[in-house]
Protein backbone atom coordinates (compact mmCIF):
# COMPACT_ATOMS: atom_id res chain seq x y z
CA UNK A 1 0.00 0.00 0.00
CA UNK A 2 2.81 2.40 0.89
CA UNK A 3 4.67 1.57 -2.30
CA UNK A 4 1.57 2.28 -4.39
CA UNK A 5 1.06 5.62 -2.61
CA UNK A 6 4.68 6.52 -3.15
CA UNK A 7 4.46 5.68 -6.86
CA UNK A 8 1.32 7.79 -7.24
CA UNK A 9 2.97 10.74 -5.49
CA UNK A 10 6.07 10.43 -7.67
CA UNK A 11 3.93 10.23 -10.79
CA UNK A 12 2.05 13.37 -9.80
CA UNK A 13 5.27 15.19 -8.93
CA UNK A 14 6.70 14.64 -12.39
CA UNK A 15 3.45 15.29 -14.25
CA UNK A 16 3.43 18.54 -16.19
CA UNK A 17 0.53 20.95 -16.42
CA UNK A 18 -2.48 19.61 -18.26
CA UNK A 19 -2.94 21.35 -21.56
CA UNK A 20 -6.32 21.44 -23.20
CA UNK A 21 -4.89 21.96 -26.68
CA UNK A 22 -6.27 19.23 -28.91
CA UNK A 23 -4.08 17.46 -31.49
CA UNK A 24 -6.13 18.90 -34.36
CA UNK A 25 -5.32 22.44 -33.15
CA UNK A 26 -1.54 22.04 -33.14
CA UNK A 27 0.22 23.83 -35.97
CA UNK A 28 2.67 21.82 -38.11
CA UNK A 29 5.26 24.62 -37.82
CA UNK A 30 6.91 24.19 -34.39
CA UNK A 31 7.97 27.87 -34.21
CA UNK A 32 4.42 29.10 -34.89
CA UNK A 33 3.03 26.58 -32.40
CA UNK A 34 5.45 27.83 -29.74
CA UNK A 35 4.37 31.43 -30.42
CA UNK A 36 0.72 30.36 -30.21
CA UNK A 37 1.35 28.69 -26.84
CA UNK A 38 3.09 31.79 -25.47
CA UNK A 39 0.23 34.04 -26.58
CA UNK A 40 -2.42 31.60 -25.33
CA UNK A 41 -0.80 31.31 -21.92
CA UNK A 42 -1.41 35.05 -21.38
CA UNK A 43 -5.08 35.01 -22.44
CA UNK A 44 -7.83 34.32 -19.91
CA UNK A 45 -10.59 31.83 -20.59
CA UNK A 46 -13.73 33.94 -20.47
CA UNK A 47 -15.77 30.97 -19.23
CA UNK A 48 -13.41 29.64 -16.55
CA UNK A 49 -11.97 33.09 -15.76
CA UNK A 50 -9.06 31.69 -13.75
CA UNK A 51 -7.35 29.65 -16.43
CA UNK A 52 -5.50 30.50 -19.58
CA UNK A 53 -7.13 29.42 -22.83
CA UNK A 54 -4.34 26.83 -23.12
CA UNK A 55 -5.48 25.16 -19.89
CA UNK A 56 -9.25 25.36 -20.43
CA UNK A 57 -11.49 22.77 -22.08
CA UNK A 58 -14.31 25.29 -22.61
CA UNK A 59 -15.57 25.61 -26.20
CA UNK A 60 -14.89 29.37 -26.19
CA UNK A 61 -11.28 28.72 -25.13
CA UNK A 62 -10.91 26.32 -28.05
CA UNK A 63 -12.32 28.96 -30.40
CA UNK A 64 -9.81 31.49 -29.07
CA UNK A 65 -6.92 29.04 -29.45
CA UNK A 66 -7.94 28.44 -33.06
CA UNK A 67 -8.31 32.20 -33.63
CA UNK A 68 -4.79 32.82 -32.29
CA UNK A 69 -3.35 30.15 -34.57
CA UNK A 70 -5.26 31.46 -37.60
CA UNK A 71 -3.93 34.98 -37.01
CA UNK A 72 -0.37 33.68 -36.67
CA UNK A 73 -0.67 31.65 -39.88
CA UNK A 74 -1.99 34.80 -41.59
CA UNK A 75 1.29 36.49 -40.66
CA UNK A 76 0.28 38.66 -37.69
CA UNK A 77 2.89 39.48 -35.05
CA UNK A 78 2.39 38.31 -31.47
CA UNK A 79 1.43 41.84 -30.46
CA UNK A 80 -1.07 42.13 -33.34
CA UNK A 81 -2.73 38.85 -32.33
CA UNK A 82 -3.01 39.96 -28.70
CA UNK A 83 -4.31 43.39 -29.74
CA UNK A 84 -6.91 41.74 -31.99
CA UNK A 85 -8.21 39.56 -29.15
CA UNK A 86 -8.21 42.51 -26.70
CA UNK A 87 -10.09 44.67 -29.21
CA UNK A 88 -12.74 41.98 -29.46
CA UNK A 89 -13.04 40.99 -25.76
CA UNK A 90 -11.51 43.86 -23.78
CA UNK A 91 -8.68 43.96 -21.24
CA UNK A 92 -10.45 41.31 -19.15
CA UNK A 93 -9.23 38.64 -21.58
CA UNK A 94 -5.64 39.29 -20.46
CA UNK A 95 -4.39 37.35 -17.46
CA UNK A 96 -2.18 40.35 -16.67
CA UNK A 97 -4.24 43.42 -17.66
CA UNK A 98 -2.32 46.67 -18.22
CA UNK A 99 -2.39 49.43 -15.64
CA UNK A 100 -4.47 52.22 -17.11
CA UNK A 101 -7.41 54.43 -16.13
CA UNK A 102 -9.95 51.66 -16.77
CA UNK A 103 -8.07 49.00 -14.76
CA UNK A 104 -6.69 51.20 -11.98
CA UNK A 105 -9.42 50.15 -9.54
CA UNK A 106 -8.66 46.50 -10.28
CA UNK A 107 -4.98 46.98 -9.54
CA UNK A 108 -5.51 49.20 -6.48
CA UNK A 109 -8.29 47.17 -4.83
CA UNK A 110 -6.01 44.75 -2.91
CA UNK A 111 -3.88 47.60 -1.54
CA UNK A 112 -6.95 49.64 -0.63
CA UNK A 113 -8.52 46.71 1.22
CA UNK A 114 -5.24 46.00 3.03
CA UNK A 115 -4.84 49.67 4.03
CA UNK A 116 -8.46 49.85 5.26
CA UNK A 117 -7.97 46.69 7.32
CA UNK A 118 -4.76 47.98 8.89
CA UNK A 119 -6.39 51.34 9.64
CA UNK A 120 -9.33 49.55 11.29
CA UNK A 121 -7.00 47.42 13.44
CA UNK A 122 -4.87 50.42 14.38
CA UNK A 123 -7.92 52.48 15.43
CA UNK A 124 -9.40 49.58 17.36
CA UNK A 125 -6.15 49.02 19.22
CA UNK A 126 -5.89 52.75 20.00
CA UNK A 127 -9.42 52.71 21.41
CA UNK A 128 -8.65 49.65 23.54
CA UNK A 129 -5.36 51.09 24.80
CA UNK A 130 -6.83 54.50 25.63
CA UNK A 131 -7.23 55.00 29.36
CA UNK A 132 -10.78 54.78 30.53
CA UNK A 133 -12.45 58.09 31.24
CA UNK A 134 -11.54 59.16 34.73
CA UNK A 135 -14.40 58.48 37.08
CA UNK A 136 -15.07 61.23 39.57
CA UNK A 137 -14.23 60.49 43.18
CA UNK A 138 -17.06 59.59 45.53
CA UNK A 139 -18.46 62.30 47.74
CA UNK A 140 -18.28 61.82 51.49
CA UNK A 141 -21.99 60.84 51.62
CA UNK A 142 -21.56 58.30 48.80
CA UNK A 143 -18.48 56.79 50.45
CA UNK A 144 -20.33 56.52 53.80
CA UNK A 145 -23.29 54.82 52.10
CA UNK A 146 -20.98 52.41 50.25
CA UNK A 147 -19.24 51.49 53.48
CA UNK A 148 -22.62 50.83 55.16
CA UNK A 149 -23.75 48.58 52.31
CA UNK A 150 -20.51 46.66 52.32
CA UNK A 151 -20.68 46.13 56.09
CA UNK A 152 -24.30 45.03 55.80
CA UNK A 153 -23.33 42.38 53.25
CA UNK A 154 -20.51 40.96 55.32
CA UNK A 155 -22.62 40.70 58.47
Amino acid sequence: MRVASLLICLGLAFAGPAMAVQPDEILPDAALEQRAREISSGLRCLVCQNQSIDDSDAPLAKDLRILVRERLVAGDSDRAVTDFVVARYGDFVLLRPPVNARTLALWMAPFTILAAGLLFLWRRRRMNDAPAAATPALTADEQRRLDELTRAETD
Side-chain angles (χ1 to χ4, degrees):
M1 185 66 175
R2 289 182 185 222
V3 173
S5 298
L6 180 62
L7 289 174
I8 290 172
C9 288
L10 283 174
L12 291 174
F14 290 110
M19 296 291 183
V21 178
Q22 303 299 313
D24 62 328
E25 297 174 34
I26 298 174
L27 295 172
D29 183 356
L32 277 181
E33 180 60 28
Q34 181 61 33
R35 286 176 55 200
R37 295 285 176 111
E38 288 174 12
I39 295 169
S40 296
S41 67
L43 298 175
R44 179 189 319 274
C45 173
L46 299 169
V47 176
C48 306
Q49 296 186 5
N50 220 11
Q51 291 180 315
S52 72
I53 62 172
D54 248 4
D55 298 333
S56 174
D57 286 328
L60 180 58
K62 180 177 180 166
D63 292 344
L64 285 172
R65 287 192 303 266
I66 292 170
L67 176 72
V68 166
R69 284 164 174 76
E70 286 173 353
R71 302 295 298 190
L72 287 174
V73 169
D76 287 359
S77 68
D78 295 2
R79 182 72 182 171
V81 172
T82 303
D83 289 346
F84 179 81
V85 175
V86 168
R88 185 178 272 190
Y89 296 101
D91 285 333
F92 183 74
V93 76
L94 299 173
L95 283 172
R96 291 176 202 90
V99 179
N100 59 35
R102 290 181 299 173
T103 61
L104 192 58
L106 173 71
W107 283 99
M108 295 305 295
F111 301 111
T112 305
I113 292 169
L114 177 65
L118 290 174
L119 179 65
F120 171 77
L121 292 174
W122 177 72
R123 287 185 55 125
R124 184 172 176 167
R125 182 175 174 136
R126 258 187 69 204
M127 292 175 82
N128 288 344
D129 288 348
T135 54
L138 297 176
T139 62
D141 287 339
E142 292 170 334
Q143 186 63 48
R144 184 183 47 75
R145 178 75 179 131
L146 180 62
D147 290 340
E148 288 173 9
L149 288 173
T150 326
R151 266 188 253 125
E153 273 185 22
T154 56
D155 292 334

